[in-house]
Amino acid sequence: MSGRNSLLKSIKNFFSFLKGLLTFNISTMLFGAIFLYMIITVIMYATSDHVTSYQVTEGPLTKNPVCTALALRTEQLVKAEQEGFAAYYAREGMQVRKNGLVYAVESQKQEQSTEVALSEEQLQDIRSDIAKFSNGFDGNNFLDTYSFKYELQGSILQDSGAVSYLEAQQALSQDNSQDSAQDGVLQGYPVGMSVPMGSQDIYTAPTAGVVVYSKDGYEEKTADSLTQADFDQKSYQSVNLLSQDKISSGDDVYKLITSEEWTLMIPLTDQLAATLSSQLADTNSGKSQITVKFLKDGENQKGMLSLVTIGDQKTAKIELKNSMVRYASDRFLQVELLINTQSGLKIPVSSIVTKEFYLIPREFLTLGANGTDRGFLREIQSDGGEISTEFVSASIYREVDDRGKEIAEGSESSSGGSCYVDKATLQEGDILRKPDSGETFVVGEIDYLEGVYCINKGYAEFRQIALLDQNEEYCIVDSSTPYGLDVFDSIVQDGGSVQEEDILY
């Protein structure tokens, strides 16, 4: 008996659950509608064709090559005339005149506190130098870190010196009443010789140039004497000449760069060598002008390019005539060769389509009632047979003169020529009337324009393009084309996969 009751109770509970499940209220209806919408959306997405978009960018067709250049300059090492402790008056990278102050030697070392006191202006200069180095640092060229370390040490050593460059000039002027030290140049003393000043013997530059306090063994190298091994940065070593220790007579104490003209030597890949050779093919001298961008500070410099072979290595030789002082302390420099100068809007070749347009004489263009809309007067015939005209607003994609040369939008131009009108605006056989004239034109002649489908508004919209350059995958188009593209526009990557005015989003 108890089993029968249990079965009846289970059946009763099942029907109670089913009744509750099938109870329709507003919540159940809303949930059901949302659930049904989600199912339909998933099915439509799974069965529909997917359109891939591409965001238009701006720049050259291909990236310019970035290379490591070896810098050659006219350099000479200056040796110490006597032993002692050096005090430096010319800063690293400073241009000095002939017989200008550079350094001094004294027999006793000047005791300095372990803490270096610098002015706020000097500290700000050091912070600025560190920031510039940090922004341009490349982990692949860690050697630059050591060069910067020595340069920074030299700057601090000079900034903390007991006698500054200006103070030395003033002291010399006082000690030598008949001679002067105007603008850092000692008058009345032999060039490059020692000049006594108190406990110090001051030494001057034997010739005008830029002072550098390092040496690396490349000082006497030229483009003709280079070997392939000279391009190996891993074996490159630079020696810092700034020292607080005692120097001996004959030691290298500083370096002078005596000419503003300098040369960059750049090892090339076979592909890059072929590219540069094609640029030189049309020149009789074997040289052509090239623009170099220095990645250290982003500055551009023009030079004369020629190609040479060093051992088995094809090498670019770029001769420069100025700006040497900016990079006087650098032997190896990261540079970008600006050989791809054609720039514009970059799009995939696969996005390009062609579209038909009606060709209408420009004389038939007129303005609408608002004075701004451009269009045509189309003849219409009433049921009674009367002929009148109506204004049809039209999008003019392109205008050309009677010689086929494009006319810029809004420019003043003589009459004649044709305009390209979207075929959706008019129909074949439409009769257009010339303003203030009885002359008519029958719509029918067509021509083609290249373009892409822009999808900024959620549907496919034709935008015309003007090709500037092209390779197998991408092309560069003019950014100023009427009814054209703008940077950051979204276009259909495969132009043949959609039709005009297809709704995509």
Side-chain angles (χ1 to χ4, degrees), residues 350-353 453 492-499 502:
S350 60
S351 66
I352 300 176
V353 295
Y453 286 122
V492 178
Q493 185 162 337
D494 182 7
S497 64
V498 300
Q499 297 294 326
D502 279 356

Side-chain angles (χ1 to χ4, degrees), residues 147-186:
S147 298
F148 179 70
K149 171 188 173 183
Y150 296 140
E151 184 178 338
L152 200 61
Q153 286 178 341
S155 296
I156 295 174
L157 180 63
Q158 292 167 0
D159 288 340
S160 62
V163 181
S164 70
Y165 186 77
L166 180 61
E167 290 171 344
Q169 296 177 51
Q170 295 172 344
L172 281 171
S173 297
Q174 295 171 359
D175 289 350
N176 302 278
S177 57
Q178 295 180 350
D179 301 312
S180 65
Q182 296 176 356
D183 199 21
V185 179
L186 299 184

Side-chain angles (χ1 to χ4, degrees), residues 115-281:
E115 293 186 1
V116 175
L118 301 179
S119 68
E120 185 60 35
E121 182 179 356
Q122 291 170 336
L123 289 172
Q124 184 60 38
D125 289 341
I126 291 175
R127 293 190 192 100
S128 178
D129 291 341
I130 294 174
K132 289 179 181 177
F133 176 79
S134 177
N135 291 335
F137 177 71
D138 182 359
N140 295 324
N141 297 289
F142 194 76
L143 183 66
D144 293 343
T145 307
Y146 294 100
S147 298
F148 179 70
K149 171 188 173 183
Y150 296 140
E151 184 178 338
L152 200 61
Q153 286 178 341
S155 296
I156 295 174
L157 180 63
Q158 292 167 0
D159 288 340
S160 62
V163 181
S164 70
Y165 186 77
L166 180 61
E167 290 171 344
Q169 296 177 51
Q170 295 172 344
L172 281 171
S173 297
Q174 295 171 359
D175 289 350
N176 302 278
S177 57
Q178 295 180 350
D179 301 312
S180 65
Q182 296 176 356
D183 199 21
V185 179
L186 299 184
Q187 305 294 332
Y189 288 92
V191 173
M193 297 302 292
S194 170
V195 179
M197 187 189 78
S199 62
Q200 296 180 334
D201 290 328
I202 288 186
Y203 288 87
T204 60
T207 185
V210 176
V211 176
V212 177
Y213 291 109
S214 64
K215 66 176 182 178
D216 54 14
Y218 286 74
E219 286 76 22
E220 296 183 1
K221 289 186 180 292
T222 64
D224 296 330
S225 64
L226 281 179
T227 65
Q228 283 185 255
D230 292 328
F231 294 106
D232 184 8
Q233 294 185 70
K234 293 182 179 179
S235 60
Y236 175 77
Q237 291 184 343
S238 178
V239 178
N240 182 28
L241 298 177
L242 286 170
S243 175
Q244 291 181 314
D245 297 327
K246 191 173 186 179
I247 61 173
S248 301
S249 177
D251 287 349
D252 295 320
V253 67
Y254 68 95
K255 178 168 64 180
L256 269 180
I257 304 175
T258 58
S259 175
E260 186 70 8
E261 296 183 1
W262 56 309
T263 304
L264 298 179
M265 304 296 293
I266 304 174
L268 303 175
T269 62
D270 291 339
Q271 182 178 0
L272 183 53
T275 301
L276 295 178
S277 295
S278 64
Q279 294 187 359
L280 296 171

Side-chain angles (χ1 to χ4, degrees), residues 73 129 131-138 144 147-148 151 293-299 324-336:
R73 312 174 186 89
D129 291 341
K132 289 179 181 177
F133 176 79
S134 177
N135 291 335
F137 177 71
D138 182 359
D144 293 343
S147 298
F148 179 70
E151 184 178 338
K293 179 179 181 180
F294 294 91
L295 300 189
K296 179 179 181 179
D297 54 12
E299 293 294 321
M324 179 278 300
V325 68
R326 299 175 67 94
Y327 318 101
S329 301
D330 301 301
R331 182 63 66 187
F332 290 95
L333 287 158
Q334 291 293 107
V335 297
E336 180 180 351

